Amino acid sequence: ILNVEQSPQSLHVQEGDSTNFTCSFPSSNFYALHWYRWETAKSPEALFVMTLNGDEKKKGRISATLNTKEGYSYLYIKGSQPEDSATYLCAFDAGNMLTFGGGTRLMVKP
Amino acid sequence: GAGVSQSPSNKVTEKGKDVELRCDPISGHTALYWYRQSLGQGLEFLIYFQGNSAPDKSGLPSDRFSAERTGGSVSTLTIQRTQQEDSAVYLCASSETSGGSPYEQYFGPGTRLTVT
């Protein structure tokens, strides 16, 4: 059983705050690390697929970094907005299936 | 273009009955995945298909669960003799392929199953 951990489980921030959360995963059999955003009553939406150690990806105010040697990835949100409120999931990709972490639930207060 | 669709969106069934959940992947996507999220739990992998074959069935929780995919397109997840612990949101996802370059998975809206 693969252990994919996310922290914190939930996070409350004020509009305009910047925030980050962590995904830790096995450092062996690594193929890719995925980040998804899951808003209530919607489908999970892919944010990033990361493969290379040291990789950094950015989409608007959201960015992510990857360290495959130590087995962690950070997701950063700059200047949080209420519409960023969602659960952010990371998933470890061993080449065929995804193993998801438990998610970080972000709530941004206006 | 059309995304992944699932039907029904909600299903309430009595304990012991069989249910079928359907997934229509994005056209051209060869890989298809089933996950479920039980209350208070994370997303749990159930099974994936590459084309019509399922190389990995290890995630199916019991022999009451089965899945098939025909024509490299539509997939059906069948749960026989449903139990209350089967209550969950069942999500389907598809991607361009499995293996090779890692591709994003595109998720459907899910089927919420409630077993009474």
Side-chain angles (χ1 to χ4, degrees), chain A residues 62-104:
Chain A
I62 305 176
S63 60
T65 61
L66 179 68
N67 184 322
T68 59
K69 292 183 179 178
E70 296 181 41
Y72 64 83
S73 176
Y74 294 134
L75 189 79
Y76 301 90
I77 302 178
K78 186 177 176 182
S80 303
Q81 299 297 308
E83 58 265 31
D84 296 331
S85 297
T87 296
Y88 291 83
L89 296 167
C90 70
F92 177 81
D93 184 348
N96 52 14
M97 54 174 270
L98 299 184
T99 302
F100 283 85
T104 292

